[in-house]
């Protein structure tokens, strides 16, 4: 097993905050085409990252060949284009008022030499910003030279000082050689193109186009076009509509070359299901997989050609259904070999798929990476995801359901402190973010920290959560805030009724929409929770709408938030006088999801109303607060805040 630095045991409050607040030791991992090498992005102090290469046969990590400090550039992902070269994604946020994000692809030799920019360059003649540096859509597994297909955002150029006008605009596809100068257009750019899908062997078969207004704002209609085998002409395929809950209509996600069809999601009985649609001109649609109780979460893909091998869905816990009999058999065998790590994900594979890189974890195990060798049927450990938590007792997570005020059974997850009988203890309701999201069974560093510190934690999948179909989603957690927040509050009442929460020892903690729910819960019932912790919260729906005005998705955000009385009634900052419990807020000042101005507004409104509030800002951090020091500080301060108010 490869070794990563470990931290001290979580015996004290500060130890626990440092151990749980530390970022994952492994941020991302990929397997080389031969299956003999692994590329690992490990976290470094603060918000940094380093790319290291390991020879599986030797079992050690080489010195870093690429690093980032995280201020502001972040090394996000690295994958092998050949046995000797990798392509990495670098992201950054401009340090200005708009906090615009950029991404760029670079390539580097596995020996750390010959660093090249893969993304196209812009210059002083460019008539716009190229925020998107492209993404890899095909690894060209049949091309042994290491060439790949990437998307490119074409930006037109001014003719001033130039003989040839460059007027190409929109998203196109290029073939590039990561180690050389080859750059050839494979699909000409089209305005409003948003997606291209290949067959995994170098042929682009599908194109998605989203309508836009004259002002440049994206609309809610997406049209997909396709090409017949060995043809260049695009033909109409399907249409989809962007809605509050995602999209309606067949939305393609993958192409199968041999079967000549596309796999995608469409609705069946009000829930997302997987369908196929033929690419032969007949466009025959066939149901592949559906559940009567939950949405299909997505496709499972494997190998350098990203072939579809199954689907995943989430009931009490995430499960998989494989179309590939060999992988289904392997999945069952892995379940027996790793009983404490039932959540298994196939991360990568060698070119011949004889070597598989996988991740396995559970509720009491943050997860570990393994390599499985098919010919020998050997499973070898690579490294733990969070070595800082080795030896720390983690809490079991139990799926539960509690009744809402109208009798509806609300699913959720209850985590009790290790060794606790779960009676008469401090408790926390922790609503998830989104609102288009849901909680799942497994390891959660925030939940586990509070359980380690003696709190019971209940995560409700309130109405407004995704994964349970259209009816459960309602009109989203903003438009239907009374139902969503009502369910969140009923989670707190259930904790008290069950005798889990001790009298006057109930708090609420939430991140993003969860932070909104934490604040709005006190607007709906000021006496229920004794303390509120809100991390990067939405606090004013009209302000959230305004924040999107400079971005192309403004009209979609506008429709999602909606108009009407809920804007005033459903905004915590506009109802701050109703909140009686003390509030602690954390927010990064480079947050592009929810602007820090929302937390500043909330703090000012609470103070004006005579309430108690503290706002802690983290400089240079975005919505995720992806920094060891910041997260450790946040956990320490939140724990101290709650213990004081709950009398612990």
């Amino acid at each position: 097993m490869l070794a990563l630095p470990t931290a001290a045991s979580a015996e004290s409050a500060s130890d626990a905050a440092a151990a749980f607040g530390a970022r994952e030791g492994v941020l991302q991992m990929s397997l080389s085409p031969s299956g003999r090498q692994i590329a690992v992005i490990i976290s470094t102090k603060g918000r940094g990252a380093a790319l290291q290469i390991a020879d599986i046969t030797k079992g050690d990590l080489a010195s870093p060949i690429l690093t980032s400090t995280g201020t502001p550039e972040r090394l996000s992902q690295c994958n092998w284009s050949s046995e000797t070269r990798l392509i990495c994604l670098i992201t950054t946020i401009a340090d200005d008022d708009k906090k615009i994000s950029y991404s760029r692809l670079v390539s580097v030799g596995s020996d750390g030499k010959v660093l090249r920019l893969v993304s196209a360059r812009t210059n002083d003649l460019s008539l716009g910003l190229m925020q998107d540096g492209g993404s890899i859509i095909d690894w060209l597994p049949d091309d042994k030279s290491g060439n790949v297909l990437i998307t490119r955002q074409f930006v037109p150029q001014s003719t001033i000082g130039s003989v040839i006008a460059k007027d190409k605009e929109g998203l196109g596809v290029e073939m590039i050689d990561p180690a050389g100068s080859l750059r050839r257009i494979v699909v000409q750019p089209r305005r409003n193109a948003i997606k291209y899908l290949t067959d995994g062997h170098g042929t682009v078969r599908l194109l998605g186009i989203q309508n836009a207004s004259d002002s440049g704002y994206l609309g809610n209609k997406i049209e997909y076009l396709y090409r017949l085998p060995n043809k260049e002409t695009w033909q109409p395929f399907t249409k989809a509509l962007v809605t509050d809950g995602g999209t309606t209509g067949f939305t393609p996600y993958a192409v199968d070359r041999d079967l000549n069809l596309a796999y995608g999601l469409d609705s069946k009985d009000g829930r997302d299901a997987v369908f196929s649609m033929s690419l032969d001109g007949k466009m025959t649609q066939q149901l592949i997989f559906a559940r009567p109780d939950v949405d299909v979460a997505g496709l499972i893909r494997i190998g350098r050609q990203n072939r579809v091998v199954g689907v995943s869905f989430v009931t009490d816990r995430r499960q998989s259904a494989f179309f590939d009999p060999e992988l289904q058999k392997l999945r069952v065998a892995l379940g027996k070999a790793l009983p404490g790590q039932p959540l298994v994900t196939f991360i990568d594979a060698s070119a011949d798929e004889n070597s598989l890189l996988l991740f396995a974890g559970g509720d009491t195990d943050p997860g570990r990476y393994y390599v499985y060798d098919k010919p020998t049927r050997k499973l070898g450990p690579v490294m733990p995801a969070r070595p800082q938590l080795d030896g720390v007792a983690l809490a079991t997570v139990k799926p539960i359901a509690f009744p809402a005020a109208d009798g509806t059974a609300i699913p959720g997850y209850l985590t009790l402190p290790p060794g606790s009988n779960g009676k008469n203890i401090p408790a926390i309701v922790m609503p998830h973010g989104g609102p288009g999201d849901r909680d799942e069974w497994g390891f959660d560093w925030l939940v586990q920290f509070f359980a380690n510190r003696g709190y019971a934690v209940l995560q409700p999948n309130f109405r407004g959560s995704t994964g349970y179909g259209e009816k459960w989603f309602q009109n989203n957690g903003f438009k239907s805030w009374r139902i969503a927040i009502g369910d969140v509050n009923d989670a707190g009442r259930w904790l008290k009724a069950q005798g889990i929460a001790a009298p006057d020892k109930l708090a609420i903690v939430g991140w993003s929409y969860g932070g909104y729910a934490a604040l709005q819960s006190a607007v709906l019932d000021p006496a229920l929770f004794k303390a509120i912790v809100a991390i990067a919260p939405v606090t004013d729906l009209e302000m959230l709408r305004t924040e999107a005005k400079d971005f192309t998705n403004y009209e979609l955000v506008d429709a999602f938030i909606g108009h009407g009385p809920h804007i005033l009634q459903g905004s915590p900052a506009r109802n701050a006088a109703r909140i009686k419990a003390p509030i602690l807020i954390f927010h990064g000042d480079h947050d592009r999801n929810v602007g820090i101005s929302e937390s500043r507004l909330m703090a000012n409104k609470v103070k004006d109303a005579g309430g108690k509030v503290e706002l802690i800002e983290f400089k240079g951090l975005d919505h995720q607060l992806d920094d060891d020091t910041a997260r450790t500080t946040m956990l320490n301060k939140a724990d101290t805040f709650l213990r004081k108010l709950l009398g612990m």
Side-chain angles (χ1 to χ4, degrees):
M1 178 181 290
L2 304 179
L4 288 174
T6 58
S9 61
E11 296 180 354
S12 66
S14 58
D15 289 340
F20 288 98
R23 296 179 301 150
E24 298 91 337
V26 177
L27 300 178
Q28 189 251 341
M29 189 180 291
S30 62
L31 192 64
S32 72
S34 71
R36 292 191 295 269
Q37 299 183 90
I38 293 178
V40 186
I41 300 180
I42 65 168
S43 60
T44 58
K45 186 177 180 180
R47 60 192 76 170
L51 171 63
Q52 296 181 257
I53 308 299
D55 186 317
I56 293 178
T57 60
K58 295 179 180 179
D60 58 354
L61 282 170
S63 299
I65 63 172
L66 197 61
T67 62
S68 67
T69 63
T71 311
E73 294 85 5
R74 289 181 180 269
L75 180 60
S76 301
Q77 193 170 10
C78 290
N79 295 90
W80 299 85
S81 62
S82 69
E83 192 64 26
T84 59
R85 198 154 194 86
L86 299 104
I87 299 178
C88 299
L89 175 66
I90 308 293
T91 60
T92 187
I93 299 177
D95 192 9
D96 55 27
D97 291 339
K98 294 183 179 179
K99 304 294 186 290
I100 297 175
S101 64
Y102 296 86
S103 67
R104 293 294 183 266
L105 294 173
V106 300
S107 74
V108 63
S110 57
D111 57 1
K113 299 178 181 179
V114 193
L115 181 66
R116 294 181 180 274
L117 178 66
V118 172
S119 299
R121 297 178 183 273
T122 56
N123 55 44
D124 293 340
L125 298 178
S126 300
L127 297 176
L129 296 175
M130 189 182 75
Q131 292 179 246
D132 177 14
S135 58
I136 299 163
I137 60 172
D138 201 312
W139 292 99
L140 302 178
D142 306 318
D143 182 345
K144 305 305 180 184
S145 64
N147 294 341
V148 296
L149 295 186
I150 68 169
T151 59
R152 174 180 170 182
Q153 179 186 351
F154 284 80
V155 178
Q157 293 185 6
S158 169
T159 58
I160 298 175
S162 175
V163 176
I164 302 176
K166 295 182 179 180
D167 57 0
K168 294 183 184 296
E169 183 176 7
L171 196 68
V173 178
E174 290 186 322
M175 176 187 288
I176 63 102
D177 172 12
S181 58
L182 171 66
R183 182 178 293 277
R184 176 169 63 85
I185 297 177
V186 174
V187 178
Q188 292 291 337
R190 296 184 64 148
R191 289 193 64 188
N192 302 329
I194 59 169
K195 178 163 67 174
Y196 291 95
L197 294 178
T198 79
D199 63 359
H201 295 271
T203 301
V204 182
R205 296 294 306 277
L206 282 165
L207 157 67
I209 298 175
Q210 190 165 359
N211 70 307
S213 64
D214 293 339
S215 59
Y217 291 134
L218 293 175
N220 65 347
K221 298 176 182 177
I222 301 176
E223 180 182 8
Y224 291 97
L225 308 176
Y226 81 108
R227 299 196 292 198
L228 292 165
N230 303 315
K231 299 294 183 181
E232 296 295 322
T233 305
W234 292 105
Q235 300 184 38
F237 187 53
T238 63
K239 294 182 179 180
L241 191 67
V242 180
T243 65
D244 286 356
T247 58
T248 59
F250 180 80
T251 302
Y253 288 99
V255 173
D256 188 307
R257 180 187 66 172
D258 298 333
L259 298 177
N260 195 29
L261 55 79
Y263 291 104
L265 295 181
D266 204 346
S267 180
K268 183 182 187 301
D269 301 327
R271 293 181 175 85
D272 288 343
V274 174
F275 290 82
S276 68
M277 187 170 286
S278 65
L279 296 170
D280 57 1
K282 298 178 182 179
M283 291 181 285
T284 304
Q285 189 170 10
Q286 180 180 352
L287 176 65
I288 301 298
F289 187 89
R291 292 278 304 187
D293 49 351
V294 294
D295 295 323
V296 173
L299 301 172
I300 300 174
R301 307 175 71 174
I302 199 170
R304 294 183 67 78
Q305 69 269 41
N306 276 323
R307 66 187 181 96
V308 176
V309 295
V311 301
S312 66
F313 57 94
V314 186
T315 52
D316 285 347
R317 64 179 61 181
R318 184 169 286 265
Q319 301 180 59
S320 56
F322 284 98
F323 310 148
D324 186 305
E326 184 181 8
L327 286 174
Q328 177 61 26
K329 184 178 179 180
L330 175 59
R331 175 65 188 86
V332 173
L334 290 172
K336 296 178 181 179
L338 304 169
Q341 300 168 303
L343 301 179
V344 177
T345 304
F346 293 103
I347 302 296
D348 205 352
S350 58
D352 59 9
E353 295 188 19
N354 280 331
S355 293
L356 300 176
L357 177 65
L358 58 95
F359 174 85
D363 57 345
T364 59
D365 192 322
R368 297 169 188 273
Y369 292 86
Y370 299 87
V371 170
Y372 177 76
D373 184 71
K374 284 186 180 180
T376 62
R377 296 184 179 180
K378 289 185 177 180
L379 181 68
V382 179
M383 63 175 60
R386 289 179 176 268
Q388 304 91 341
L389 293 175
D390 282 353
V392 177
L394 299 179
T396 57
V397 180
K398 179 183 178 181
I400 58 96
F402 61 88
D406 61 3
T408 301
I410 309 299
Y413 299 95
L414 177 64
T415 304
L416 300 176
S420 169
N421 64 4
K423 295 297 181 181
N424 202 38
I425 59 177
I428 292 171
V429 174
M430 189 179 291
H432 62 71
D437 205 344
R438 60 156 293 168
D439 275 317
E440 294 187 31
W441 182 89
F443 174 83
D444 183 305
W445 63 272
L446 196 59
V447 172
Q448 289 288 343
F449 168 76
F450 284 115
N452 176 275
R453 297 297 296 146
Y455 305 87
V457 181
L458 176 54
Q459 300 166 272
N461 279 325
F462 46 85
R463 283 170 287 185
S465 304
T466 55
Y468 298 93
E470 297 171 2
K471 291 183 179 179
W472 194 263
F473 185 72
Q474 299 284 305
N475 293 319
N476 81 50
F478 290 132
K479 292 177 182 175
S480 301
W481 74 266
R482 287 188 182 276
I483 296 174
I485 306 304
D487 290 349
V488 170
N489 283 353
D490 286 336
R493 297 184 185 102
W494 181 82
L495 285 170
K496 296 173 70 173
Q498 295 295 307
I500 298 172
D504 295 326
K505 294 187 186 301
L506 182 63
I508 186 166
V509 177
W511 199 317
S512 193
Y513 178 86
Y516 163 84
L519 295 167
Q520 191 66 8
S521 69
V523 174
L524 203 59
D525 186 347
L528 181 60
F529 297 107
K530 301 305 177 185
I532 301 168
V533 177
I535 308 166
V538 172
T539 70
D540 186 279
L541 299 184
E542 195 59 52
M543 180 175 284
L544 183 66
R545 188 200 320 276
T546 301
E547 290 171 8
K549 279 197 171 180
D550 291 330
F551 299 91
T552 57
N553 67 340
Y554 169 70
E555 292 185 357
L556 299 175
V557 173
D558 176 62
F560 187 86
I561 294 172
H563 297 265
H566 71 280
I567 298 298
L568 172 61
Q569 298 166 0
S571 294
R574 301 192 183 200
N575 297 275
R578 288 186 53 79
I579 301 175
K580 305 305 178 186
I583 303 170
L584 178 60
I585 304 175
F586 300 96
H587 215 134
D589 68 357
H590 276 43
D591 193 331
R592 295 182 302 110
N593 296 58
V594 182
I596 194 170
S597 56
E598 298 216 26
S599 285
R600 291 170 178 167
L601 174 67
M602 187 74 206
N604 289 334
K605 291 291 186 180
V606 172
K607 290 176 182 177
D608 291 344
K612 297 179 180 179
V613 61
E614 180 182 4
L615 169 60
I616 297 174
E617 300 185 11
F618 294 109
K619 184 173 178 55
L621 289 181
D622 60 15
H623 197 62
Q624 305 305 323
L625 300 181
D626 195 12
D627 180 285
D628 296 333
T629 303
R631 288 185 175 184
T632 299
T633 297
M634 180 180 73
L635 294 183
N636 263 323
K637 288 186 175 294
D639 183 40
T640 300
F641 172 78
L642 294 177
R643 297 179 91 79
K644 178 181 178 181
L645 290 169
L646 300 185
M648 296 174 64

